[in-house]
Amino acid sequence: MNKNGEKLTNQNKTFADILKRVGLHKDTHGRYRSLTSLRHYYATTRLKEGEVDVFRLAENMGNKVEQIKNHYAEVNPYVFRRHLTKRK
């Protein structure tokens, strides 16, 4: 519900309005943030930390491993290599 008690009908617009109110509607490069940017931030951060299992990340995000590899391999190629060569 918005401040007038009306049901929210557009998640993207609501998200943009909230970010604008708090001064976070643009990233450091001047690009507008979107709901998708949160998803991208989450995946990128988890991969940079290097402790996430790529299979679990894909499952959690509702993606296939191939999609994660294709979209985020440039984040840190060593993360993928470490997961492939990990031993107990």
Side-chain angles (χ1 to χ4, degrees), residues 35-48 52 54 57-58 61 63-80:
L35 282 170
T36 305
S37 70
L38 292 179
R39 185 176 169 83
H40 181 68
Y41 174 79
Y42 168 74
T44 302
T45 302
R46 296 299 294 144
L47 290 170
K48 281 185 177 179
V52 67
V54 178
L57 179 64
M61 294 181 69
N63 291 101
K64 295 181 180 179
V65 173
E66 283 300 313
Q67 291 172 300
I68 299 292
K69 282 175 41 182
N70 291 338
H71 195 75
Y72 296 102
E74 76 284 351
V75 171
N76 189 346
Y78 302 105
V79 171
F80 290 103

Side-chain angles (χ1 to χ4, degrees), residues 9 52 85:
T9 57
V52 67
T85 60

Side-chain angles (χ1 to χ4, degrees), residues 2-87:
N2 67 13
K3 63 183 177 182
N4 300 324
E6 301 162 338
K7 186 177 179 181
L8 303 175
T9 57
N10 187 327
Q11 290 178 343
N12 289 321
K13 184 178 180 327
T14 301
F15 181 72
D17 289 345
I18 291 169
L19 289 182
K20 191 166 188 171
R21 271 189 264 148
V22 296
L24 294 172
H25 59 291
K26 290 186 180 181
D27 66 14
T28 56
H29 303 289
R31 296 175 297 213
Y32 287 98
R33 297 181 196 273
S34 65
L35 282 170
T36 305
S37 70
L38 292 179
R39 185 176 169 83
H40 181 68
Y41 174 79
Y42 168 74
T44 302
T45 302
R46 296 299 294 144
L47 290 170
K48 281 185 177 179
E49 289 174 0
E51 295 301 319
V52 67
D53 179 282
V54 178
F55 298 101
R56 300 271 186 241
L57 179 64
E59 184 177 74
N60 188 44
M61 294 181 69
N63 291 101
K64 295 181 180 179
V65 173
E66 283 300 313
Q67 291 172 300
I68 299 292
K69 282 175 41 182
N70 291 338
H71 195 75
Y72 296 102
E74 76 284 351
V75 171
N76 189 346
Y78 302 105
V79 171
F80 290 103
R81 188 176 303 139
R82 183 169 48 240
H83 283 292
L84 291 173
T85 60
K86 195 177 202 176
R87 292 184 175 175

